[in-house]
Amino acid sequence: MDFGPSTPPEELHARVRKLQQHLQEKQLQGALILQKADLFYFSGTIQQAHLFIPAEGEAVLMVRKDIERARAESALSQVVSLSSPKQIPEILGRHGIDRPARLGMELDVLPANLYFNFIRLFENAEITDISTAIRMIRAVKSDYEIDKIRTAARFSDRLAACVPDLLKEGIPEVELAGRIEAEARKMGHQGIVRMRLWGAELFYGHVMAGSAAAVPSYLSSPTGGAGVNAYVAQGAGMRPVGRNEPVLVDMVFAFEGYNSDHARIYSIGELPADLTAAHQVMRDIQEAVKKAALPGTAAGDLYELALNMAEDKGLGDCFMGTGAQRIRFVGHGIGLELDEFPFLARGQKLALEPGMIIALEPKVIFPEKGVVGIENTHVVTQNGLEQLGEYPEEITVI
Amino acid sequence: MDFGPSTPPEELHARVRKLQQHLQEKQLQGALILQKADLFYFSGTIQQAHLFIPAEGEAVLMVRKDIERARAESALSQVVSLSSPKQIPEILGRHGIDRPARLGMELDVLPANLYFNFIRLFENAEITDISTAIRMIRAVKSDYEIDKIRTAARFSDRLAACVPDLLKEGIPEVELAGRIEAEARKMGHQGIVRMRLWGAELFYGHVMAGSAAAVPSYLSSPTGGAGVNAYVAQGAGMRPVGRNEPVLVDMVFAFEGYNSDHARIYSIGELPADLTAAHQVMRDIQEAVKKAALPGTAAGDLYELALNMAEDKGLGDCFMGTGAQRIRFVGHGIGLELDEFPFLARGQKLALEPGMIIALEPKVIFPEKGVVGIENTHVVTQNGLEQLGEYPEEITVI
């Protein structure tokens, strides 16, 4: 195998040190990390593994499968083989780590049965949820991570530029989605898009046309979509794309694990004037939020700013959804997962910091007509949001 | 919205009755179902919902989003709105259901934090894991479900037939995968393939060539693959497809939620004789297992039969993987999820029953050369396995 380290050692060490600081503050003796995104963030690999980060000292990555690959991919110095989780206390002991009395785990995602197993394994240690601390650390990206997302955003632009050649009148949404997805794969798209929230999921994104784009779903997202059946129940369905209706192409591109979220509107023939006008309002909201998103701003205030602007233009009832399906947010953090901190959502007090990455997505949902609006991925700087994508933002009329 | 019921009411009622019988046997007052596959199985919808199945009487589906869609998709008679899980005890009370003292939940998948919430909500009720019982019920498919999987298998055959036109020398694996995936989408593939095991995941399947198909990964699967980066670390990578090497196209097709798992081998130019011979051994193993898989047979015995045949032909060392990466199984149940009961794995005592669906996948992994073998989806009948796919099984040489 010719895999090299996926993440530089100094990146991993800086991340581990931030978590260790939290562990020390909370008087936890260590953290045991299992979830794929967290595992990759702190170790550089997603091989089947348990990562123990002691409050002080070196992390130990215990790998069930595949150990050689984990050794190649991870720049951590202690990568050891594990055939059963039962060996964990003994392996830690060999690395000079005592059985922890207070241990942090990702209790927002760890299944209950595994939690019970770890309680037994650590002989009734107090197991505390450290998921919020991990998510806070991950919310502020390093220059290394911002570079990855910058590259992902360039791929998003390239993918958006493929759409006009693929969009034909009468093509079913799902066939159009498949063609765009094939272009993404050709560019090296990893396929899998990870979300943290249990029960949340996304398959590339949403390619949907006209009224079908306004179909509500189970997702905590402004758009839902019919999907091809009730078991997936989101995204592209079988409906053919018509003329003079907005075609939403809202796709996630990932580069070396890091996501960019990007939406543009296309149409075959002109759109009705009210949709074009609403689209412009969404672009204006984007620009206003970009300026207002200075470090220290509460994430929720940006939602209120966006909502007020939509209301001023008479779009309050359909901004980010209609009726009971309305989502009280206008953007979200993004990185290795799609649903990262901060959430630009009602009541969110989390203050922006330089290096946070935000997918800002003001959208209007007209139930009978479809969706217009925009999405770009941005980095928080001292001057507000720096936008990472640059594909033209007006509606592309074919 | 013009959604109709996704699953006939008599199907749902039969499923609910089976679970109720288990609840009564275990003296549980009810089950609270949240996981998407289980929710769909018992209610016909995956909208954000909590499904309460009392030990006796009618189920209550409490829906947060989207209630109208859930009402259209589910043939259950009691579908009510829920704005917070805190309302659940009160809503159940209104439906004549007392607060349960003993409640079943899916503790194999339910995150620990949610488990704690439900312990508080139900005032220290005893919450018991019923995931094994649910998986046992789901393992035996009804005629309705078998029909869906039969249709999915026909789509798998159609997809396999597209491959010869798409396979070109020098095409990167991931580009080839994207083209095959686009054909699948054109046929209405739902995209998302669900697995139950925490941390397990699949993106359509594995399209991999030559030695790249033999790269081990974190998956509990005979094949791994490089993937395009360390964050996905499985499946197609950037390696170009060469001549005279096996190209594995192992893809899942889903029809109305129900999966068919299907693998065929292609090559540009002839393969070395040892690979062609090993492929034939895998086909022979498939035929032997099909005959031996009579109702009452222990699932694990079929693995031993397969392994013995592979060993007799000198392929014991590379059957279902090599060295530490070897997987001790030769097939798995399949349905709404990819990793269902029964597992044809070492030591598995579960007895086959008519109506179980099995993806049987004897494969040989040659580290330097690649993967050969076969996968089809079958239904257990009184006469052994009835194979659902019929695409030619020899290596397709282009």
Side-chain angles (χ1 to χ4, degrees):
Chain A
M1 281 185 290
D2 55 359
F3 300 109
S6 72
T7 314
E10 58 276 17
E11 274 288 316
L12 297 182
H13 296 152
R15 298 170 186 180
V16 165
R17 272 196 304 273
K18 282 183 196 164
L19 184 60
Q20 287 180 322
Q21 194 176 336
H22 173 79
L23 297 174
Q24 289 163 20
E25 281 165 14
K26 296 289 175 186
Q27 297 181 299
L28 296 164
Q29 279 94 54
L32 189 63
I33 309 284
L34 278 84
Q35 192 249 20
K36 293 267 175 268
D38 294 339
L39 201 55
F40 184 77
Y41 182 79
F42 289 111
S43 79
T45 183
I46 61 155
Q47 298 303 309
Q48 259 183 56
H50 294 67
L51 173 66
F52 190 88
I53 299 181
E56 286 182 75
E58 294 277 306
V60 185
L61 184 66
M62 296 163 278
V63 183
R64 188 159 166 273
K65 182 171 184 291
D66 175 78
I67 177 70
E68 285 180 50
R69 188 161 180 178
R71 284 205 173 111
E73 290 173 343
S74 177
L76 294 178
S77 55
Q78 302 188 128
V79 182
V80 300
S81 185
L82 176 78
S83 52
S84 160
K86 288 179 187 155
Q87 302 173 309
I88 292 174
E90 183 217 318
I91 292 175
L92 294 181
R94 272 193 271 132
H95 288 82
I97 297 168
D98 292 336
R99 200 178 292 246
R102 300 190 68 228
L103 176 69
M105 291 192 76
E106 305 140 308
L107 300 189
D108 64 330
V109 291
L110 185 76
N113 279 349
L114 291 183
Y115 167 80
F116 301 141
N117 289 350
F118 286 110
I119 288 281
R120 278 190 294 269
L121 185 66
F122 290 107
E123 295 176 358
N124 296 312
E126 183 188 334
I127 297 184
T128 297
D129 183 24
I130 52 163
S131 60
T132 304
I134 290 175
R135 296 182 79 177
M136 287 295 291
I137 292 169
R138 285 182 41 197
V140 180
K141 274 71 177 176
S142 67
D143 290 345
Y144 169 86
E145 293 181 285
I146 293 168
D147 267 359
K148 301 285 181 204
I149 298 172
R150 204 178 285 278
T151 304
R154 277 198 291 269
F155 277 110
S156 288
D157 280 345
R158 281 178 56 195
L159 191 59
C162 295
V163 175
D165 286 341
L166 303 173
L167 181 57
K168 311 285 176 205
E169 190 178 348
I171 191 174
E173 282 177 349
V174 72
E175 183 177 343
L176 175 62
R179 291 189 185 186
I180 299 169
E181 291 157 8
E183 293 295 330
R185 290 291 258 172
K186 194 173 169 178
M187 296 177 202
H189 194 295
Q190 69 191 33
I192 289 171
V193 172
R194 292 201 167 90
M195 296 185 73
R196 189 172 191 103
L197 180 70
W198 190 56
E201 57 195 350
L202 197 77
F203 190 75
Y204 280 111
H206 286 169
V207 175
M208 307 183 302
S211 58
V215 171
S217 85
Y218 64 102
L219 272 196
S220 296
S221 156
T223 56
V228 298
N229 59 48
Y231 188 55
V232 294
Q234 64 156 304
M238 302 306 292
R239 181 181 178 283
V241 174
R243 289 185 70 78
N244 311 115
E245 62 180 21
V247 180
L248 170 71
V249 178
D250 185 343
M251 297 278 282
V252 176
F253 208 106
F255 178 69
E256 296 184 2
Y258 285 90
N259 295 307
S260 145
D261 204 349
H262 192 275
R264 292 294 185 274
I265 306 294
Y266 304 80
S267 75
I268 303 170
E270 294 290 334
L271 288 190
D274 56 342
L275 291 187
T276 307
H279 184 74
Q280 185 56 48
V281 174
M282 296 304 106
R283 290 180 61 190
D284 295 344
I285 289 175
Q286 174 184 267
E287 294 312 310
V289 171
K290 280 162 67 176
K291 284 198 182 67
L294 297 168
T297 308
D301 290 352
L302 297 171
Y303 168 70
E304 301 301 336
L305 167 67
L307 179 64
N308 288 341
M309 284 183 70
E311 283 174 345
D312 282 350
K313 299 291 182 177
L315 296 170
D317 291 344
C318 49
F319 179 65
M320 307 305 285
T322 54
Q325 291 87 34
R326 194 124 74 104
I327 299 292
R328 295 292 183 184
F329 97 134
V330 71
H332 53 89
I334 183 168
L336 293 170
E337 291 172 307
L338 196 61
D339 51 345
E340 298 200 355
F341 289 170
F343 292 100
L344 276 51
R346 174 154 286 176
Q348 288 288 318
K349 296 198 188 335
L350 186 60
L352 298 195
E353 288 182 50
M356 285 180 169
I357 300 278
I358 290 168
L360 178 61
E361 52 171 325
K363 289 171 186 157
V364 175
I365 286 80
F366 294 104
E368 307 296 319
K369 296 177 182 173
V371 173
V372 291
I374 193 95
E375 182 162 15
N376 285 294
T377 298
H378 312 259
V379 54
V380 178
T381 75
Q382 293 296 350
N383 305 313
L385 300 184
E386 180 200 343
Q387 185 170 324
L388 301 181
E390 54 188 32
Y391 186 79
E393 302 195 342
E394 59 269 25
I395 295 166
T396 302
V397 179
I398 295 160
Chain B
M1 278 186 292
D2 55 358
F3 300 108
S6 72
T7 313
E10 58 276 17
E11 274 288 316
L12 298 182
H13 296 152
R15 299 170 186 180
V16 166
R17 272 196 304 273
K18 283 182 196 163
L19 184 59
Q20 288 180 320
Q21 195 178 333
H22 173 80
L23 298 174
Q24 290 163 20
E25 282 165 13
K26 296 289 175 186
Q27 296 180 300
L28 295 164
Q29 278 93 55
L32 189 62
I33 309 284
L34 277 84
Q35 192 249 20
K36 292 269 175 265
D38 294 340
L39 202 54
F40 184 77
Y41 182 79
F42 289 111
S43 80
T45 184
I46 61 154
Q47 298 302 308
Q48 257 183 56
H50 293 66
L51 174 65
F52 190 88
I53 298 181
E56 287 182 74
E58 293 276 307
V60 185
L61 184 66
M62 296 164 279
V63 183
R64 188 158 167 272
K65 181 169 186 292
D66 176 77
I67 176 69
E68 284 179 51
R69 188 161 178 178
R71 284 206 173 109
E73 290 174 344
S74 176
L76 294 178
S77 54
Q78 301 188 125
V79 182
V80 301
S81 185
L82 177 77
S83 52
S84 160
K86 289 180 186 154
Q87 300 174 310
I88 291 174
E90 183 217 320
I91 292 174
L92 294 180
R94 273 193 270 132
H95 288 82
I97 298 168
D98 292 337
R99 199 178 292 246
R102 300 190 68 228
L103 176 69
M105 290 192 77
E106 304 140 310
L107 300 189
D108 64 332
V109 291
L110 185 76
N113 279 349
L114 291 183
Y115 168 79
F116 301 142
N117 288 350
F118 286 110
I119 288 281
R120 278 190 293 270
L121 186 66
F122 289 107
E123 294 176 1
N124 297 312
E126 183 190 333
I127 297 185
T128 298
D129 183 24
I130 52 163
S131 60
T132 304
I134 290 175
R135 296 183 79 177
M136 287 293 291
I137 292 168
R138 284 182 42 198
V140 180
K141 274 69 175 176
S142 67
D143 290 344
Y144 168 86
E145 293 180 286
I146 294 168
D147 266 359
K148 301 286 181 204
I149 297 172
R150 203 178 286 279
T151 304
R154 276 198 293 269
F155 277 110
S156 289
D157 281 344
R158 282 178 56 195
L159 191 59
C162 295
V163 175
D165 285 341
L166 303 173
L167 182 57
K168 311 283 177 209
E169 190 178 348
I171 191 173
E173 282 177 349
V174 71
E175 183 176 343
L176 175 62
R179 291 188 185 185
I180 299 170
E181 292 158 7
E183 293 295 329
R185 291 291 258 172
K186 193 172 170 179
M187 297 177 201
H189 193 295
Q190 69 190 33
I192 290 171
V193 172
R194 292 201 167 90
M195 295 185 74
R196 189 173 192 102
L197 181 69
W198 190 56
E201 57 196 349
L202 198 78
F203 189 75
Y204 279 112
H206 286 170
V207 175
M208 307 183 303
S211 59
V215 171
S217 85
Y218 63 104
L219 271 195
S220 296
S221 155
T223 58
V228 298
N229 59 48
Y231 188 55
V232 295
Q234 63 156 303
M238 302 307 292
R239 182 181 178 284
V241 174
R243 290 186 70 76
N244 311 115
E245 61 179 21
V247 180
L248 170 71
V249 178
D250 185 344
M251 297 278 283
V252 176
F253 208 106
F255 179 69
E256 296 184 2
Y258 284 90
N259 295 307
S260 145
D261 204 349
H262 192 276
R264 292 293 186 274
I265 306 295
Y266 304 79
S267 75
I268 302 171
E270 293 291 334
L271 288 191
D274 56 341
L275 292 186
T276 307
H279 184 74
Q280 184 58 46
V281 174
M282 296 304 107
R283 291 180 61 189
D284 294 344
I285 288 175
Q286 173 183 267
E287 295 311 311
V289 171
K290 280 162 69 176
K291 284 198 183 68
L294 298 168
T297 308
D301 290 353
L302 297 171
Y303 168 71
E304 301 301 336
L305 167 67
L307 178 64
N308 288 341
M309 284 183 70
E311 284 174 344
D312 282 351
K313 299 289 183 179
L315 296 170
D317 290 344
C318 49
F319 179 63
M320 306 306 284
T322 53
Q325 290 86 34
R326 194 125 73 106
I327 300 292
R328 295 291 183 184
F329 95 135
V330 71
H332 52 90
I334 184 168
L336 293 170
E337 291 171 308
L338 197 61
D339 51 346
E340 299 200 354
F341 290 171
F343 292 100
L344 276 52
R346 174 154 286 176
Q348 288 288 317
K349 298 196 185 339
L350 186 61
L352 299 196
E353 288 181 51
M356 285 180 169
I357 300 278
I358 289 168
L360 178 62
E361 51 171 327
K363 287 170 188 158
V364 175
I365 286 81
F366 294 103
E368 308 295 318
K369 296 176 180 173
V371 173
V372 291
I374 193 95
E375 182 163 16
N376 285 293
T377 298
H378 311 259
V379 55
V380 178
T381 73
Q382 292 297 347
N383 305 315
L385 299 184
E386 180 199 342
Q387 185 171 323
L388 301 182
E390 55 189 31
Y391 186 79
E393 302 194 342
E394 60 269 25
I395 294 166
T396 303
V397 179
I398 294 161

